[in-house]
Amino acid sequence: IIWTILAVIFIYFGINNKIRDLVKAGFILIGIMAVKLYLLDVWNMDNISRIIAFTILGLILLSSSFMFQKLKDIIKELMENKQ
């Protein structure tokens, strides 16, 4: 949970302050957290918890896709300004 909160803070401040490295760090941190959760932790759960975890993962991926579509122009501008 702390990693996710930290990643959201990185992404938020990275986009607001146009710091490309913070945005990358936030997305990398979310990726590491998701890989760790679903490759290591999920196998120690019972079946109901696994179903809930994968449902939540689906919702997170769906909402991040919608968020990316809304912020695509901002991210594109951020990448072009840095180069």
Side-chain angles (χ1 to χ4, degrees):
I1 293 173
I2 293 172
W3 287 4
T4 306
I5 293 169
L6 188 61
V8 169
I9 291 170
F10 282 173
I11 293 170
Y12 176 76
F13 283 115
I15 289 174
N16 281 343
N17 298 327
K18 298 185 180 188
I19 302 171
R20 184 175 155 195
D21 293 334
L22 272 181
V23 175
K24 281 184 180 180
F27 283 119
I28 290 171
L29 195 55
I30 287 176
I32 291 170
M33 184 271 314
V35 167
K36 181 214 176 275
L37 176 68
Y38 287 99
L39 289 181
L40 298 176
D41 296 339
V42 85
W43 301 115
N44 295 328
M45 299 178 184
D46 60 346
N47 287 336
I48 299 296
S49 298
R50 286 183 194 174
I51 292 169
I52 292 170
F54 282 107
T55 302
I56 291 172
L57 176 64
L59 291 173
I60 290 171
L61 291 174
L62 187 63
S63 64
S64 65
S65 172
F66 285 128
M67 187 174 76
F68 179 75
Q69 289 299 320
K70 288 190 176 264
L71 298 175
K72 183 169 57 172
D73 295 330
I74 295 171
I75 294 172
K76 187 176 183 180
E77 179 184 319
L78 178 66
M79 297 297 182
E80 290 174 356
N81 288 340
K82 187 67 174 181
Q83 294 174 356

